[in-house]
Amino acid sequence: GGAVEEVANLTQSLRRHAGRPLLFASDLERGAGQQFKGLAKLPPQMAMAACPRAVELVREAGRATARDAKRAGINLVFAPLSDVNTEPKNPIINVRSFSDDPAVVSRLSVEWIKGAQETGVLACAKHFPGHGATIEDSHVHLARGADNPEIQREFHLPPFEAACRAGVGSVMTAHIT
């Protein structure tokens, strides 16, 4: 958190004193303004996916987030969510997901990744192997993911496979069983 200028000064100072390249990461799935004052906030992924020109919008969201992240000295963004929201009672993924359709989530995750990474910031597909089937908030409880291997392969893994094929910079694991 903090104002973008303060964060930028801190990351620049740490880089100067480190004597080696550093990786600064932040959770910016709703734009860099989610964490830093003075930067743009974006709507949840599901709202962007509902727009008529979602592909272009999501790619630009990746670019915009990356541009703002670079202003703060951040070079790894913990986004996009590549979870398929298959459980309507899911308290933690919900509208943070692009969709309940694995093809839509795969396509839009790749667009977000390309937008961010072509702007010079690493993206992170999260939450592998898929957090969209849980009914618990994994920040509070140990949540249980999809336990049917066929459902897992059909719904939850395709977006992560697509992200890896697109060259995503990193993948975040879910803290679920």
Side-chain angles (χ1 to χ4, degrees):
V4 63
E5 297 81 12
E6 295 167 354
V7 176
N9 289 338
L10 175 62
T11 56
Q12 288 170 6
S13 175
L14 290 169
R15 281 189 171 94
R16 267 194 317 275
H17 290 92
R20 64 186 47 83
L22 296 176
L23 203 56
F24 288 101
S26 188
D27 195 357
L28 306 178
E29 67 193 52
R30 290 192 49 215
Q34 176 181 345
Q35 300 292 345
F36 309 116
K37 292 179 198 140
L39 299 176
K41 290 183 182 178
L42 300 176
Q45 289 183 176
M46 196 172 284
M48 289 189 282
C51 292
R53 295 179 56 202
V55 170
E56 295 88 357
L57 177 63
V58 168
R59 191 160 196 163
E60 183 53 36
R63 286 185 193 116
T65 300
R67 282 191 301 268
D68 278 356
K70 286 168 71 172
R71 285 186 54 203
I74 304 299
N75 49 10
L76 170 60
V77 173
F78 294 145
L81 258 81
S82 296
D83 300 301
V84 179
N85 192 44
T86 58
E87 173 53 64
K89 295 178 185 173
N90 190 316
I92 194 65
I93 300 304
N94 203 297
V95 298
R96 293 169 63 204
S97 171
F98 285 118
S99 176
D100 60 0
D101 180 337
V104 170
V105 175
S106 296
R107 173 89 190 270
L108 295 180
S109 290
V110 166
E111 291 301 322
W112 201 100
I113 290 162
K114 287 180 177 179
Q117 292 189 172
E118 70 190 15
T119 309
V121 171
L122 296 170
C124 177
K126 61 184 189 179
H127 306 93
F128 180 83
H131 201 324
T134 63
I135 58 170
E136 304 92 3
D137 180 344
S138 59
H139 298 103
V140 179
H141 306 283
L142 181 57
R144 183 182 182 103
D147 56 5
N148 180 322
E150 290 155 14
I151 297 291
Q152 188 70 24
R153 277 192 296 280
E154 183 179 348
F155 287 94
H156 300 288
L157 294 180
F160 295 98
E161 293 168 340
C164 289
R165 281 192 304 275
V168 70
S170 64
V171 175
M172 180 187 293
T173 58
H175 39 285
I176 62 174
T177 61

